[in-house]
Amino acid sequence: MHVLIVSSEIYPYAKTGGLADMVGSLAKSLSNLGHDVRVILPFYKNIYNLNLDVEVFVDSFTIKLGDEKLTCKIYEYLDINSGITLYLIEHLNYFNRNGFYNENNKDYPDNAERFIFFSKAAIKLCKFFQFNIDIIHCHDWQTGLIPAFLKSDVKNPKDNIPLQLKHTKSVFTIHNLGYQGNFPEYYYKMTGLPKAFFSIDGLEFYGGISFLKAGIYYSDIITTVSSTYAKEIQTHKSGFGLDGLLKARRDKLIGIPNGIDENIWNPEIDTFLLSHYNSLNLENKKKCKTELQENFGLNINQDIPLIGGISRLVHQKGYDMVASVLPGLLSHNIQFVLLGTGDVDIENNFADLAKHYQNFKFYNGYNEHLAHLIIAGSDIFIIPSRYEPCGLTQMYSLKYGTIPIAHATGGLEDTIKDFNEINEEGNGLKFKSFSSSNFISSVIRATNIYKSNKNLWNKFMLNGMKENHNWSHRVLQYHNLYRNLLKSY
Ligand code: ADP
């Protein structure tokens, strides 16, 4: 199959969160199954800085945005490790910036035109392929217009959809319904889509346009990243105004859980770690804990339970609640290390707490190396999200023998089984409703087991480490989905 993935992020080239990890793993594992996989991505500034060995694929073509004609250049890059070809869309004004979507906590004011341009350029570049595309797989609001462009061609054959895309089926994956790409109607003319598409039965949303709604409405199949989240987004509580549409399209909506890439997230071979371990030999996990304690200037002591957290610091992730209860928790004999960046208020709160409590350390920023060290060196890892489409850090923690504590929502509900001290089954601790008291109880419960019963704790760790969340078997669900989609038309 010829599979074309269009995304605004892919690990290791452009990452702000789980979207990048998922797209990187999906592309690599589809390619391992023998599919021809190509990925289209904006040529961001940080990718220039990587000095990749890129070649010009198309020297120049123009894209119409309303009355304006913009030129762009396409570069091609073959990632020899994964066998995937990347196409990088160059437009210096739109993409050669310090951020992908925002800077200093402010969204770029021209995000609508940047991603209209990106989507149009992605379609146009298919004209230069020597083969037809079977599946185009789009991710999140940044690429939501693509399924609409493909459908508009059916209504208006004069539109310039390349022949290579004439029989292509579109798959649209929702990684987070909370980010919708909603913009004023003003931008509609830039899309060049037919008037009829600006409708409640289309991409109109409360008088403006919604890129995410376009993807949901016009794609042939919608996927999201866990079974529970697929159900949650059809409810008023978690549907962000799109639950009605998602319910109407429920026969085209499927939840496929994300997995982890065990070439990157695996304590046996993790290139970011000095000491390696596995479920048969846990001794070196202690060395990772010591390294983490040293790194952050904490007391070096195996007996103190060390709690880790890595997160975007936004309301969804529940860290505002964590900040409010942290002084109480830190009065217990625990250590806590947090890596994160996001809303200034939440960041400031943690920065203040770190000044007052020696057993709390906060790294305010993005750091891939520290992320691996925290997952490996902590005893406990918290994921207190208000909602969580899938979540990856709980699966990384399981693989590294670090006990996850999570709110029972979305993918966290699907991947974490609450530990039972009697029959010793379960891989983490899960609190049912989101509240600070439930969160505190779970933390206390975990630290009590850690301090009082080392054998039980070891069993607890091994339960998670022995599970398989690897992409190599998750990818088969996408393979089957694509196959069925092609058969059914
Ligand atoms: P989301 O995509 O909502 O941010 P996920 O749990 O799906 O949440 O994925 C988060 C990914 O981003 C994980 O790989 C996590 O390690 C990484 N991550 C988040 N914040 C940071 C940070 N500050 N530094 C390094 N990695 C981070």
Side-chain angles (χ1 to χ4, degrees), residues 15-21 175-176 179 258 265 310-312 316-317 339-341 363-372 375 381 383 388-394 396:
K15 168 168 168 177
T16 66
L19 166 67
D21 288 353
H175 294 260
N176 191 332
Y179 297 84
N258 285 338
W265 290 96
I310 305 165
S311 188
R312 291 184 296 116
Q316 177 209 337
K317 299 291 183 179
L339 164 65
T341 171
Y363 183 100
N364 187 192
Y366 185 92
N367 189 313
E368 201 69 32
H369 179 189
L370 281 182
H372 285 251
I375 295 275
F381 190 88
I383 317 105
E388 192 57 75
C390 180
L392 292 171
T393 49
Q394 82 278 16
Y396 300 151

Side-chain angles (χ1 to χ4, degrees), residues 152-161 166:
S152 76
D153 191 49
V154 177
K155 292 237 158 71
N156 181 6
K158 284 203 272 341
D159 274 1
N160 273 331
I161 299 296
K166 288 284 175 192

Side-chain angles (χ1 to χ4, degrees), residues 376-440:
S378 304
D379 301 300
I380 297 164
F381 190 88
I382 56 166
I383 317 105
S385 310
R386 288 187 167 82
Y387 74 91
E388 192 57 75
C390 180
L392 292 171
T393 49
Q394 82 278 16
M395 289 189 270
Y396 300 151
S397 302
L398 291 170
K399 181 78 195 162
Y400 283 69
T402 304
I403 304 299
I405 295 182
H407 173 215
T409 179
L412 300 171
E413 168 70 1
D414 296 350
T415 48
I416 296 179
K417 287 169 236 69
D418 198 53
F419 189 63
N420 179 327
E421 280 97 327
I422 310 295
N423 65 17
E424 302 183 1
E425 283 175 9
N427 59 8
L429 298 184
K430 207 158 62 167
F431 51 99
K432 275 256 174 288
S433 55
F434 182 88
S435 75
S436 49
S437 54
N438 286 345
F439 170 69
I440 293 170

Side-chain angles (χ1 to χ4, degrees), residues 246-482:
L246 287 159
K247 221 187 283 171
R249 295 214 70 200
R250 64 182 172 275
D251 58 330
K252 301 286 180 202
L253 169 64
I254 158 168
I256 303 180
N258 285 338
I260 64 176
D261 183 339
E262 293 191 357
N263 291 312
I264 301 165
W265 290 96
N266 182 348
E268 263 180 300
I269 54 166
D270 190 321
T271 51
F272 290 103
L273 301 182
L274 295 176
S275 314
H276 296 102
Y277 60 93
N278 60 28
S279 59
L280 301 175
N281 181 359
L282 283 168
E283 228 11 66
N284 274 354
K285 183 166 169 63
K286 291 187 186 145
K287 290 196 186 151
C288 295
K289 178 167 174 176
T290 304
E291 192 189 338
L292 181 60
Q293 287 171 325
E294 258 172 13
N295 212 298
F296 277 93
L298 288 162
N299 282 343
I300 295 167
N301 186 335
Q302 292 295 330
D303 294 332
I304 305 174
L306 173 47
I307 302 173
I310 305 165
S311 188
R312 291 184 296 116
L313 298 175
V314 295
H315 183 256
Q316 177 209 337
K317 299 291 183 179
Y319 270 88
D320 49 328
M321 177 275 285
V322 175
S324 70
V325 299
L326 207 53
L329 277 179
L330 292 170
S331 66
H332 297 261
N333 189 21
I334 61 163
Q335 296 175 332
F336 184 24
V337 173
L338 173 62
L339 164 65
T341 171
D343 292 350
V344 182
D345 289 349
I346 308 179
E347 287 180 348
N348 287 345
N349 233 331
F350 282 118
D352 279 348
L353 286 163
K355 281 186 204 143
H356 290 98
Y357 295 90
Q358 297 208 329
N359 51 344
F360 171 58
K361 303 291 172 186
F362 176 44
Y363 183 100
N364 187 192
Y366 185 92
N367 189 313
E368 201 69 32
H369 179 189
L370 281 182
H372 285 251
L373 196 54
I374 290 174
I375 295 275
S378 304
D379 301 300
I380 297 164
F381 190 88
I382 56 166
I383 317 105
S385 310
R386 288 187 167 82
Y387 74 91
E388 192 57 75
C390 180
L392 292 171
T393 49
Q394 82 278 16
M395 289 189 270
Y396 300 151
S397 302
L398 291 170
K399 181 78 195 162
Y400 283 69
T402 304
I403 304 299
I405 295 182
H407 173 215
T409 179
L412 300 171
E413 168 70 1
D414 296 350
T415 48
I416 296 179
K417 287 169 236 69
D418 198 53
F419 189 63
N420 179 327
E421 280 97 327
I422 310 295
N423 65 17
E424 302 183 1
E425 283 175 9
N427 59 8
L429 298 184
K430 207 158 62 167
F431 51 99
K432 275 256 174 288
S433 55
F434 182 88
S435 75
S436 49
S437 54
N438 286 345
F439 170 69
I440 293 170
S441 305
S442 300
V443 174
I444 301 295
R445 196 179 145 205
T447 53
N448 282 345
I449 306 175
Y450 181 85
K451 287 177 187 169
S452 65
N453 194 336
K454 283 279 177 292
N455 287 339
L456 191 62
W457 188 262
N458 265 11
K459 177 72 177 46
F460 199 177
M461 288 163 71
L462 291 175
N463 287 353
M465 292 182 87
K466 286 177 184 161
E467 291 178 354
N468 184 354
H469 297 281
N470 199 350
W471 257 100
S472 54
H473 77 270
R474 300 277 162 93
V475 70
L476 295 175
Q477 294 190 55
Y478 283 99
H479 168 86
N480 292 335
L481 177 84
Y482 298 164

